[in-house]
Amino acid sequence: MNDEPSFLDEAYEKSMQAYQRGISLKKIWITCFLVMMAIVLVTLFVFFGGTQTTKTSIDPLPNDPTPPPVSARVDMEKYSFEIEEDIHSRAAILVNYTTGHVVCERNSSAELFPASLTKMMTVLVAIENIKDINAQIFITGNSFGRLAEENASVAGLTAGSTVSFMDLCYATILASGADAALTLAEYISGSEEAFVTLMNGKAKELGMDGTNYCNVTGLHDDNHYTTAYDMAMLLQYALKNENFYRVFTSDEYQITSDGAVAVNLTVQSTVFEKARHMVVNKLNTGTLLGGKSGYTTEAGLCLASLCKVGDQEYITVTLSADGTLYTPQYSMIDTYRLINEYAY
């Protein structure tokens, strides 16, 4: 028997070798194709998926503790997002006062009635226009009758008495005294109307484009309005003033005078008083430093406050919350909710 490979055997062997080489080449091409597809998919994910953010994402705040310049506007462009929490207020804003950046907001440019938050501008303008911070001021009481008719909140000043300029500032902010606010206006400018001109001038200077003042007390007027953003911007500026900051962050103040009509009057912060009555919905962490509340039937419950969480201070403004002075204080509930959720 001939053991030499036949022609057919040699042809078969060559065919099998070619087949195996084809299989190997095919595997190489498939492997290369899969590697290339993986690279393309990873590149697409990094480019498109990695740059997407959700609506409530927050860019990291700059690691710069230096406060902004006194004239700086609060910055809504880079850091703000819309509040998605269930709140009672029609407009709200939370600003990191330490950095000047808005953290979150809802309807912050909506023009709404400010009620007694107006008195923050009243006191600021008075402080910036008083010639002598230690001035003693005689209380004429000329407008007190009108305030009683309009059911305005008052500090309890007595006509014929003499108190200091700073006494009136504390009475205006802490007790929300319309009697003190009017006395400041009349002393500085001669009339409420002339003083309101100064208030609107200051609003224009600060860029408060959604604000117009018609009085110094916040009593309702259809043409007397502001925005949550403007109120935050006002506080961002006003709190740089040492005298304003001291008044705004006080809990209680004693007014005494030994003039012809003696005065012994204690004024307490309406904001701290409301906070002490909060049984639930309290701050989880942080401290309430000060604030100004307001209410009219048309404005609803309003609140502007300053809180501290860790080493950061936050301005919160809530406008037009449902409720009255005799219901749960929804403006403060909203303020605490925003601080608890977003301040860190």
Side-chain angles (χ1 to χ4, degrees), residues 16-278:
M16 286 301 295
Q17 291 175 358
Y19 176 78
Q20 292 297 332
R21 286 196 300 272
I23 292 295
S24 299
L25 289 172
K26 186 176 182 181
K27 288 181 178 179
I28 292 172
W29 280 109
I30 291 174
T31 301
C32 291
F33 176 79
L34 292 175
V35 170
M36 291 178 64
M37 287 299 296
I39 293 173
V40 170
L41 289 174
V42 170
T43 303
L44 291 174
F45 175 80
V46 171
F47 185 78
F48 292 102
T51 57
Q52 291 180 348
T53 57
T54 62
K55 187 176 183 179
T56 58
S57 64
I58 311 173
D59 291 330
L61 294 175
N63 186 22
D64 180 8
T66 305
V70 169
S71 60
R73 292 170 63 98
V74 290
D75 181 3
M76 287 188 64
E77 297 302 321
K78 297 180 180 178
Y79 300 95
S80 64
F81 61 94
E82 185 175 354
I83 296 167
E84 293 189 344
E85 288 292 304
D86 182 19
I87 61 174
H88 306 86
S89 302
R90 290 172 178 79
I93 192 168
L94 175 66
V95 177
N96 186 316
Y97 174 61
T98 306
T99 65
H101 296 131
V102 173
V103 178
C104 56
E105 58 87 30
R106 175 183 289 176
N107 299 329
S108 63
S109 61
E111 293 178 353
L112 299 166
F113 303 125
S116 286
L117 299 196
T118 299
K119 293 168 183 147
M120 296 189 301
M121 179 65 90
T122 303
V123 169
L124 172 66
V125 170
I127 289 173
E128 290 192 339
N129 286 273
I130 189 70
K131 295 179 180 178
D132 179 9
I133 202 76
N134 299 310
Q136 297 295 306
I137 300 174
F138 180 75
I139 308 296
T140 64
N142 292 336
S143 303
F144 289 4
R146 172 169 64 86
L147 295 178
E149 292 175 359
E150 296 177 318
N151 199 29
S153 60
V154 294
L157 299 175
T158 304
S161 62
T162 300
V163 297
S164 73
F165 169 78
M166 289 306 300
D167 288 343
L168 292 175
C169 292
Y170 280 99
T172 301
I173 294 293
L174 302 189
S176 200
D179 47 354
L182 276 173
T183 301
L184 283 173
E186 292 169 354
Y187 181 80
I188 297 291
S189 299
S191 69
E192 182 179 17
E193 293 75 17
F195 191 86
V196 167
T197 299
L198 295 180
M199 293 169 64
N200 283 319
K202 191 66 184 182
K204 183 177 181 180
E205 175 189 328
L206 294 177
M208 297 167 59
D209 299 329
T211 297
N212 185 67
Y213 294 108
C214 294
N215 57 62
V216 302
T217 61
L219 289 170
H220 182 69
D221 187 302
D222 285 343
N223 291 318
H224 187 99
Y225 53 83
T226 191
T227 69
Y229 176 79
D230 282 2
M231 288 293 95
M233 186 157 44
L234 170 62
L235 271 181
Q236 181 80 357
Y237 172 87
L239 289 169
K240 301 292 191 301
N241 184 290
E242 180 180 340
N243 289 309
F244 184 96
Y245 187 96
R246 187 182 301 115
V247 172
F248 192 79
T249 57
S250 294
D251 184 353
E252 184 177 290
Y253 180 81
Q254 192 71 28
I255 300 175
T256 58
S257 174
D258 296 327
V261 178
V263 178
N264 187 11
L265 177 65
T266 301
V267 290
Q268 294 182 315
S269 168
T270 58
V271 172
F272 282 112
E273 185 65 20
K274 294 175 193 296
R276 281 189 284 270
H277 285 86
M278 295 283 283

